[in-house]
Amino acid sequence: MASRFVDEREINDAGELSPLEREQLRAAGLRYDGEDLDAEARLADDDHDEASFRGFCTLWRVADGAEARFDAWLYQVDSGTIFRAGTTEVVAEVIQFGLECDDPEIRRELGPAMVEAGILPKSDLSYPEFAEQLRAQEQ
């Protein structure tokens, strides 16, 4: 079975996050803008706070069947950080909508899943490659 993005959660309140999710959000934000902010600051209800992800933050579970493989934080419309499930180990990032991943196996797993979930836009240079991999998985 191929991995899929499932269980999307819109994240607007730090109070709904587990301690691990708080650490993942902190790490994601640090990678995004270099600011080491806690979950409350990252989800501040302030339209003028550029460091806040509030209103533009979702958390997905990436699963292969019942097995959780990755925790994917997507934020600020075109960015994201993907962690190995249940850890703060970063395995990939989303930069200007595109998947950035140094591990070829993880890239082959995440790319088609992003296409299937509608997360990767057709305008991305990797879209044809990942769409073809998704078609091959479905056969």
Side-chain angles (χ1 to χ4, degrees):
M1 182 174 268
S3 287
R4 300 283 183 251
F5 278 70
V6 297
D7 301 335
E8 178 185 17
R9 289 172 43 204
E10 187 171 330
I11 306 297
N12 285 312
D13 182 359
E16 64 191 57
L17 300 177
S18 71
L20 172 66
E21 291 168 343
R22 288 170 167 271
E23 286 307 308
Q24 288 177 335
L25 181 57
R26 174 180 232 127
L30 185 60
R31 292 177 85 88
Y32 177 74
D33 61 15
E35 293 189 47
D36 187 13
L37 303 174
D38 64 16
E40 284 76 16
R42 277 292 166 200
L43 298 171
D45 190 10
D46 180 353
D47 293 337
H48 303 292
D49 186 349
E50 292 182 16
S52 178
F53 293 171
R54 187 182 186 96
F56 300 97
C57 184
T58 57
L59 174 58
W60 295 75
R61 187 170 56 94
V62 181
D64 183 352
E67 179 190 0
R69 302 274 299 136
F70 307 102
D71 299 321
W73 288 84
L74 302 177
Y75 44 84
Q76 300 301 71
V77 180
D78 66 351
S79 300
T81 306
I82 302 174
F83 299 89
R84 192 167 307 282
T87 75
T88 56
E89 177 190 349
V90 175
V91 298
E93 291 187 273
V94 175
I95 300 173
Q96 294 182 336
F97 295 108
L99 177 64
E100 300 289 330
C101 181
D102 292 332
D103 184 312
E105 288 182 35
I106 292 174
R107 185 176 183 278
R108 279 190 301 273
E109 185 173 352
L110 290 172
M114 288 176 69
V115 169
E116 191 265 339
I119 294 168
L120 188 71
K122 290 181 179 180
S123 60
D124 187 84
L125 293 176
S126 297
Y127 187 92
E129 170 193 355
F130 294 142
E132 180 58 34
Q133 289 173 0
L134 179 61
R135 279 190 291 280
Q137 289 174 0
E138 293 172 344
Q139 293 179 356

